[in-house]
Amino acid sequence: MGELKEGQDRNYDAIIMPYISHCNIACGFHSGTPFLIEQTIKAAIKNHVKIGAHPSYNDRIHFGRRSLQVDQQILMAELRYQISALKGMVESFGARLHHVKAHGALYNDMLKDDQLAAAFVLLVKTIDPNLRILALAHSNVIDLCKKHDMQAIREGFADRSYQKRTQLRSRQLDNAVLHKQEAVLAQVQSFLEGKILLYDGEIASIQVDSICLHSDTKGAVNLSKSIYEYLNQSN
């Protein structure tokens, strides 16, 4: 959240807020402006939504969804800057930052690079050891959080196809994003049953603590409401 893609005329965060429990707010490096970020923080506080920082590669041109080769010291400094800026903004309104979730290509690159993932986990720990880290369920990042005594939140994606249990289907490929309500709710139901249907038709076991919906997925406002109602109906 806190994002506005080029060509978009408005941001729908305030409409989605009543249907979610946690939000991941852009920190300005892939999208967002200080004013938009501030408005999103205020909306989250108003709706009692827990706030997370959503840092990324420094890449507004590609919305943070392209892998970059960046010196790790520079990258960690950029991530510290993003997380700390959002943390400070949140605290200035009397609230607390709850978690951190890497955005886009950085999120996916960490799943393939233990060194990068460990550096990210340790960085967050130096900023605040009480912060949680959202990461793909059953991934190396979850294991590294345990190793370094950081609380992890196992994440499943309502609106993304899975190539493997620990790998989302690339956005460069067909059918990577789910936006039809029946498909999204079927995936949510699978999470409740502890399983996930992979793209090749296989079924894998999965345990998630949190279900992600991207605010830029087509129909996200209606999808957020549908998921909220479905989860309530499912107790």
Side-chain angles (χ1 to χ4, degrees):
M1 307 187 99
E3 301 171 340
L4 192 64
K5 277 187 171 180
E6 187 175 348
Q8 280 185 312
D9 59 347
R10 62 172 296 189
N11 173 281
Y12 295 93
D13 290 355
I15 306 175
I16 294 175
M17 285 289 182
Y19 305 114
I20 62 175
S21 61
H22 299 60
C23 67
N24 311 305
I25 301 180
C27 302
F29 272 40
H30 75 274
S31 187
T33 64
F35 179 74
L36 179 55
I37 292 168
E38 181 175 286
Q39 295 305 302
T40 307
I41 291 170
K42 288 180 177 179
I45 294 171
K46 179 181 178 181
N47 288 276
H48 307 288
V49 172
K50 291 182 174 64
I51 299 171
H54 202 32
S56 72
Y57 286 125
N58 190 355
D59 184 20
R60 292 178 70 92
I61 294 175
H62 299 94
F63 202 69
R65 287 177 173 160
R66 182 188 67 168
S67 293
L68 298 181
Q69 298 299 316
V70 185
D71 180 275
Q72 192 168 104
Q73 286 186 313
I74 293 175
L75 176 60
M76 291 302 122
E78 291 179 340
L79 294 174
R80 185 185 299 276
Y81 178 85
Q82 294 177 72
I83 298 166
S84 298
L86 194 80
K87 183 174 183 287
M89 291 182 74
V90 171
E91 290 174 354
S92 75
F93 289 107
R96 292 190 65 83
L97 193 67
H98 178 265
H99 64 272
V100 179
K101 175 187 170 181
H103 167 80
L106 177 62
Y107 184 101
N108 290 323
D109 287 349
M110 285 165 51
L111 301 176
K112 300 175 285 187
D113 186 337
D114 285 350
Q115 184 180 12
L116 174 62
F120 181 89
V121 170
L122 290 170
L123 172 72
V124 174
K125 187 173 184 177
T126 66
I127 295 171
D128 184 348
N130 295 312
L131 287 169
R132 290 83 165 168
I133 295 177
L134 257 73
L136 193 66
H138 305 285
S139 69
N140 60 327
V141 184
I142 300 295
D143 295 334
L144 287 165
C145 286
K146 293 177 182 177
K147 178 180 178 180
H148 296 293
D149 297 319
M150 289 293 286
Q151 185 174 337
I153 299 175
R154 301 171 297 180
E155 185 173 43
F157 287 78
D159 56 356
R160 292 294 307 278
S161 296
Y162 278 72
Q163 199 71 33
K164 298 188 296 186
R165 183 173 73 163
T166 56
Q167 181 186 344
L168 301 176
R169 185 167 173 80
S170 170
R171 287 179 178 268
Q172 307 303 315
L173 302 175
D174 293 337
N175 304 313
V177 178
L178 309 177
H179 59 266
K180 292 184 178 180
Q181 180 174 300
E182 55 270 28
V184 169
L185 292 183
Q187 188 125 300
V188 170
Q189 178 60 37
S190 292
F191 290 141
L192 299 184
E193 296 173 354
K195 62 185 181 182
I196 183 68
L197 177 64
L198 305 180
Y199 193 77
D200 64 4
E202 289 190 27
I203 295 176
S205 62
I206 194 169
Q207 296 296 323
V208 305
D209 306 307
S210 179
I211 298 174
C212 174
L213 174 71
H214 291 87
S215 64
D216 66 334
T217 292
K218 182 180 177 181
V221 173
N222 289 330
L223 288 174
S224 63
K225 185 173 185 290
S226 297
I227 294 170
Y228 173 83
E229 291 174 346
Y230 186 83
L231 289 174
N232 277 321
Q233 290 166 7
S234 302
N235 195 31

